[in-house]
């Protein structure tokens, strides 16, 4: 499969807790991206991490990348009900950025 | 406002009746792409375009056509729709490599 593997497929946590989602891939990358999708809506780009970066932060989001293990993780700290969504990792499947391949996603539910 | 606009949002059609889903972006992005999203299969790329008159197949191009005559527009054409093309379709655009994609709000297509 050209798609990445995301783990877990679904995650439910209490509001205020931290949520961690993982993404593994098979081929070399020049960047890896994370997106959020609220039910049935368009995807929203959250963060991009380049292959020479190990960690990146954006607000309550922290993304790590381990190219030796071909894996990435997305951490959402101090979760809120509004964080309830599906989260996808995506990576270019060719040298450029135009052919972007998505994982199957993690469905995150925040319980108020 | 920077955005990707798709039309229509919802469409019900009959098998074999040609249809076009329009996509337009106002960010002067070079890359544009079409995806379909199906339960359990995630997002799969149909076609992508690197610039005007430059397009290439994604992972599931069968039954679809695209054209890129202007930088801002990237319509998706279904010459003879079939029920297995019932899906949620997304158009997306991006600056050149190293940037995230901006997605449209989606088109929910039902072919009966």
């Amino acid at each position: 499969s050209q798609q990445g593997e995301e783990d877990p497929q679904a995650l439910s946590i209490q509001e205020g807790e931290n949520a961690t989602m993982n993404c593994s891939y098979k081929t070399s990358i020049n960047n890896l991206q994370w997106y959020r999708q609220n039910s049935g809506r368009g995807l929203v780009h959250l963060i991009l991490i380049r292959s020479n970066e190990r960690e990146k932060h954006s607000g309550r989001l922290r993304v790590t990348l381990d190219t030796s293990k071909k894996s990435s993780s997305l951490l959402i700290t101090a979760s809120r009900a509004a964080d309830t969504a599906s989260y996808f990792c995506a990576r270019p499947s060719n040298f450029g950025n135009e052919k972007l391949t998505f994982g199957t996603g993690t469905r995150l539910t925040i319980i108020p | 406002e920077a955005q990707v606009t798709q039309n229509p949002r919802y469409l019900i059609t009959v098998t074999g009746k040609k249809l076009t889903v329009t996509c337009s972006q106002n960010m002067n992005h070079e890359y544009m792409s079409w995806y379909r999203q199906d339960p359990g299969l995630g997002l799969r790329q149909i076609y992508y375009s690197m610039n005007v008159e430059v397009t290439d197949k994604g992972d599931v191009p069968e039954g679809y056509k695209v054209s890129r005559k202007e930088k801002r527009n990237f319509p998706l054409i279904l010459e003879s729709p079939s029920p297995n093309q019932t899906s949620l379709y997304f158009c997306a655009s991006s600056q050149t490599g190293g940037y995230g994609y901006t997605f449209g709000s989606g088109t929910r297509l039902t072919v009966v």
Side-chain angles (χ1 to χ4, degrees):
Chain A
S1 168
Q2 294 185 3
Q3 294 180 335
E5 300 290 331
E6 274 141 326
D7 172 54
Q9 289 189 333
L11 177 63
S12 292
I13 60 173
Q14 295 288 334
E15 192 169 18
E17 293 180 339
N18 296 341
T20 300
M21 289 157 272
N22 303 296
C23 169
S24 62
Y25 56 92
K26 296 178 181 176
T27 58
S28 297
I29 58 171
N30 55 24
N31 70 70
L32 188 135
Q33 304 170 31
W34 285 89
Y35 290 80
R36 183 187 74 232
Q37 183 183 32
N38 292 91
S39 182
R41 308 285 294 274
L43 281 76
V44 174
H45 177 250
L46 296 176
I47 197 165
L48 181 151
I49 186 166
R50 302 182 194 280
S51 59
N52 62 353
E53 298 174 311
R54 291 296 169 260
E55 188 170 309
K56 200 164 182 179
H57 296 253
S58 176
R60 292 183 297 112
L61 305 180
R62 182 173 77 104
V63 168
T64 61
L65 179 63
D66 187 335
T67 53
S68 66
K69 295 181 179 178
K70 291 187 169 57
S71 68
S72 175
S73 67
L74 170 67
L75 168 68
I76 303 174
T77 60
S79 62
R80 304 168 182 169
D83 295 328
T84 293
S86 292
Y87 292 82
F88 296 87
C89 68
R91 70 217 179 280
S93 50
N94 60 349
F95 183 75
N97 197 40
E98 62 273 13
K99 196 172 184 339
L100 202 61
T101 298
F102 284 80
T104 50
T106 293
R107 176 68 190 167
L108 175 65
T109 302
I110 307 300
I111 304 166
Chain B
E1 181 188 352
Q3 61 185 356
V4 175
T5 303
Q6 291 178 233
N7 281 297
R9 289 293 309 277
Y10 301 92
L11 179 59
I12 300 174
T13 190
V14 296
T15 299
K17 185 176 181 182
K18 181 180 178 179
L19 67 90
T20 299
V21 184
T22 63
C23 174
S24 180
Q25 51 95 3
N26 62 0
M27 297 164 281
N28 201 37
H29 284 169
E30 296 198 358
Y31 293 172
M32 296 188 75
S33 188
W34 276 103
Y35 290 85
R36 60 178 289 174
Q37 185 175 29
D38 302 288
L41 297 176
L43 284 100
R44 294 178 292 168
Q45 194 171 38
I46 303 171
Y47 269 95
Y48 60 95
S49 169
M50 290 76 79
N51 214 323
V52 175
E53 302 291 3
V54 183
T55 63
D56 205 350
K57 296 177 181 179
D59 297 318
V60 288
E62 294 78 18
Y64 304 94
K65 283 176 57 176
V66 293
S67 67
R68 187 95 181 270
K69 293 183 170 55
E70 305 167 281
K71 197 171 187 178
R72 63 184 292 125
N73 296 323
F74 191 44
L76 180 69
I77 302 159
L78 285 73
E79 296 269 2
S80 183
S82 63
N84 65 11
Q85 292 178 298
T86 291
S87 187
L88 180 58
Y89 290 87
F90 289 103
C91 180
S93 73
S94 174
Q95 191 51 282
T96 52
Y99 292 84
Y101 272 78
T102 300
F103 277 75
S105 299
T107 296
R108 189 168 292 280
L109 172 66
T110 302
V111 183
V112 298

Coordinates of all heavy atoms in Angstrom, one line a residue, chain A residues 6-42:
Chain A
E6 N -1.3 4.8 10.4 CA -1.5 5.7 11.5 C -2.0 4.8 12.7 O -2.7 3.9 12.5 CB -2.4 6.8 11.2 CG -1.7 8.0 10.6 CD -2.5 8.7 9.5 OE1 -3.2 8.0 8.8 OE2 -2.4 9.9 9.4
D7 N -1.5 5.2 13.8 CA -1.8 4.5 15.0 C -2.0 5.4 16.2 O -1.2 6.4 16.3 CB -0.6 3.5 15.3 CG -0.7 2.8 16.6 OD1 -1.7 2.2 16.8 OD2 0.2 3.0 17.4
P8 N -3.1 5.3 16.9 CA -4.2 4.3 16.7 C -5.1 4.8 15.7 O -5.1 5.9 15.2 CB -4.8 4.3 18.1 CG -4.7 5.7 18.6 CD -3.3 6.1 18.1
Q9 N -6.1 3.9 15.3 CA -7.1 4.3 14.3 C -8.1 5.2 15.0 O -8.7 6.1 14.3 CB -7.8 3.1 13.8 CG -7.0 2.2 12.8 CD -7.8 1.2 12.2 OE1 -8.8 0.7 12.7 NE2 -7.3 0.8 11.0
A10 N -8.3 5.0 16.3 CA -9.3 5.9 17.0 C -8.7 6.0 18.4 O -8.1 5.2 19.0 CB -10.7 5.2 17.1
L11 N -9.0 7.2 19.0 CA -8.5 7.6 20.3 C -9.5 8.5 21.0 O -10.0 9.4 20.4 CB -7.2 8.3 20.2 CG -6.5 8.8 21.4 CD1 -6.1 7.7 22.3 CD2 -5.3 9.7 21.0
S12 N -9.9 8.1 22.2 CA -10.8 8.9 23.0 C -10.1 9.3 24.3 O -9.6 8.4 25.0 CB -12.1 8.1 23.3 OG -12.9 7.9 22.2
I13 N -10.1 10.6 24.7 CA -9.5 11.0 25.9 C -10.3 12.1 26.5 O -11.2 12.7 25.9 CB -8.1 11.6 25.6 CG1 -8.1 12.8 24.7 CG2 -7.1 10.5 25.1 CD1 -6.8 13.5 24.5
Q14 N -10.1 12.3 27.8 CA -10.8 13.4 28.5 C -10.2 14.7 28.2 O -9.0 14.9 27.9 CB -10.6 13.2 30.0 CG -11.3 11.9 30.6 CD -12.8 12.0 30.6 OE1 -13.4 13.1 30.6 NE2 -13.5 10.9 30.4
E15 N -11.1 15.7 28.2 CA -10.6 17.1 27.9 C -9.5 17.5 28.9 O -9.6 17.2 30.1 CB -11.8 18.1 28.0 CG -11.5 19.4 27.5 CD -12.8 20.3 27.4 OE1 -13.8 19.9 28.0 OE2 -12.8 21.3 26.7
G16 N -8.5 18.1 28.4 CA -7.4 18.5 29.2 C -6.2 17.5 29.2 O -5.1 17.9 29.5
E17 N -6.5 16.3 28.8 CA -5.4 15.3 28.6 C -4.6 15.6 27.3 O -5.1 16.3 26.4 CB -5.9 13.9 28.6 CG -6.5 13.5 30.0 CD -7.0 12.1 30.0 OE1 -7.3 11.6 28.9 OE2 -7.2 11.5 31.1
N18 N -3.5 15.0 27.2 CA -2.7 15.0 26.0 C -3.0 13.9 25.1 O -3.3 12.8 25.5 CB -1.2 15.0 26.3 CG -0.7 16.2 27.1 OD1 -1.4 17.2 27.2 ND2 0.4 16.0 27.7
A19 N -3.0 14.1 23.8 CA -3.3 13.1 22.8 C -2.0 12.9 21.9 O -1.5 13.9 21.4 CB -4.5 13.5 21.9
T20 N -1.7 11.7 21.7 CA -0.5 11.4 20.8 C -1.0 10.4 19.7 O -1.6 9.4 20.0 CB 0.6 10.7 21.6 OG1 1.0 11.6 22.6 CG2 1.8 10.4 20.7
M21 N -0.6 10.8 18.5 CA -0.9 10.0 17.3 C 0.4 9.7 16.6 O 1.3 10.6 16.5 CB -1.9 10.7 16.4 CG -3.3 10.8 16.9 SD -4.2 12.2 16.3 CE -3.7 13.5 17.4
N22 N 0.5 8.5 16.0 CA 1.7 8.1 15.4 C 1.5 7.8 13.9 O 0.4 7.4 13.5 CB 2.3 6.9 16.0 CG 2.5 7.1 17.5 OD1 3.3 7.9 17.9 ND2 1.8 6.4 18.3
C23 N 2.5 8.0 13.1 CA 2.5 7.8 11.7 C 3.8 7.1 11.3 O 4.8 7.5 11.6 CB 2.3 9.1 11.0 SG 2.5 9.1 9.2
S24 N 3.6 6.0 10.5 CA 4.8 5.3 10.0 C 4.7 5.3 8.5 O 3.6 5.4 7.9 CB 4.9 3.9 10.5 OG 3.8 3.1 10.1
Y25 N 5.9 5.3 7.8 CA 5.9 5.3 6.4 C 7.0 4.4 5.9 O 7.8 3.9 6.7 CB 6.1 6.7 5.8 CG 7.3 7.4 6.4 CD1 8.5 7.4 5.7 CD2 7.2 8.2 7.6 CE1 9.6 8.1 6.2 CE2 8.3 8.8 8.1 CZ 9.5 8.8 7.4 OH 10.6 9.4 7.9
K26 N 7.1 4.2 4.6 CA 8.0 3.1 4.1 C 9.1 3.7 3.3 O 10.2 3.0 3.2 CB 7.2 2.1 3.2 CG 6.2 1.4 4.1 CD 5.4 0.4 3.2 CE 4.3 -0.3 4.0 NZ 3.5 -1.2 3.2
T27 N 9.0 4.8 2.6 CA 10.0 5.3 1.7 C 10.6 6.6 2.3 O 10.1 7.2 3.2 CB 9.5 5.6 0.3 OG1 8.4 6.5 0.4 CG2 8.9 4.3 -0.3
S28 N 11.8 7.0 1.7 CA 12.4 8.2 2.2 C 11.5 9.4 1.8 O 10.8 9.4 0.8 CB 13.8 8.3 1.5 OG 14.6 7.3 1.8
I29 N 11.6 10.4 2.7 CA 10.8 11.6 2.5 C 11.7 12.9 2.5 O 12.7 12.8 3.1 CB 9.7 11.7 3.5 CG1 10.3 11.7 4.9 CG2 8.7 10.5 3.4 CD1 9.3 12.0 6.0
N30 N 11.1 14.0 2.0 CA 11.8 15.3 2.2 C 11.0 16.1 3.2 O 11.5 17.1 3.7 CB 12.1 16.0 0.9 CG 10.9 16.2 0.1 OD1 9.7 16.2 0.5 ND2 11.1 16.4 -1.2
N31 N 9.7 15.7 3.4 CA 9.0 16.4 4.5 C 7.8 15.5 4.8 O 7.4 14.6 4.1 CB 8.5 17.8 4.1 CG 7.4 17.8 3.0 OD1 6.3 17.4 3.3 ND2 7.8 18.3 1.8
L32 N 7.2 15.8 6.0 CA 6.0 15.1 6.4 C 5.0 16.1 6.9 O 5.5 17.0 7.6 CB 6.3 14.0 7.4 CG 5.1 13.1 7.8 CD1 5.6 11.6 7.9 CD2 4.5 13.5 9.1
Q33 N 3.8 15.9 6.6 CA 2.8 17.0 7.0 C 1.7 16.3 7.8 O 1.3 15.1 7.6 CB 2.2 17.6 5.7 CG 3.3 18.1 4.8 CD 2.8 18.5 3.4 OE1 1.6 18.9 3.2 NE2 3.6 18.4 2.4
W34 N 1.1 17.1 8.6 CA -0.1 16.7 9.4 C -1.3 17.6 9.1 O -1.1 18.8 9.0 CB 0.2 16.7 10.9 CG 1.1 15.6 11.4 CD1 2.4 15.6 11.4 CD2 0.6 14.3 11.8 NE1 2.9 14.4 11.9 CE2 1.8 13.6 12.2 CE3 -0.6 13.7 12.0 CZ2 1.7 12.3 12.7 CZ3 -0.7 12.4 12.5 CH2 0.5 11.7 12.9
Y35 N -2.5 17.0 9.0 CA -3.7 17.7 8.6 C -4.8 17.3 9.6 O -4.8 16.1 10.2 CB -4.1 17.3 7.2 CG -3.3 17.9 6.1 CD1 -2.1 17.2 5.8 CD2 -3.6 19.0 5.4 CE1 -1.3 17.8 4.8 CE2 -2.8 19.5 4.4 CZ -1.7 18.9 4.1 OH -0.9 19.4 3.1
R36 N -5.7 18.1 9.8 CA -6.9 17.9 10.6 C -8.2 17.9 9.7 O -8.2 18.8 8.8 CB -7.1 18.9 11.7 CG -8.3 18.6 12.7 CD -8.4 19.7 13.7 NE -9.0 20.9 13.0 CZ -8.5 22.1 13.1 NH1 -7.4 22.3 13.9 NH2 -9.0 23.2 12.6
Q37 N -9.1 17.1 10.0 CA -10.4 17.1 9.2 C -11.5 17.0 10.2 O -11.7 16.0 10.9 CB -10.5 16.0 8.2 CG -11.7 16.0 7.4 CD -11.9 14.9 6.4 OE1 -11.4 13.8 6.6 NE2 -12.5 15.2 5.2
N38 N -12.3 18.0 10.3 CA -13.6 17.9 11.0 C -14.6 17.2 10.1 O -14.5 17.3 8.9 CB -14.1 19.3 11.4 CG -13.2 20.0 12.4 OD1 -12.2 20.7 12.0 ND2 -13.4 19.7 13.7
S39 N -15.5 16.5 10.7 CA -16.4 15.6 10.1 C -16.9 16.1 8.7 O -17.6 17.1 8.7 CB -17.5 15.2 11.0 OG -18.4 14.3 10.4
G40 N -16.5 15.4 7.7 CA -17.1 15.7 6.3 C -16.6 17.0 5.7 O -17.0 17.4 4.6
R41 N -15.7 17.7 6.4 CA -15.2 19.0 5.9 C -13.8 18.8 5.2 O -13.3 17.7 5.2 CB -15.0 20.0 7.1 CG -16.3 20.1 8.0 CD -17.4 20.9 7.3 NE -17.0 22.3 7.1 CZ -17.2 23.2 8.0 NH1 -17.6 22.9 9.2 NH2 -16.8 24.5 7.8
G42 N -13.3 19.9 4.7 CA -12.0 19.9 4.0 C -10.9 19.8 5.0 O -11.1 20.1 6.2

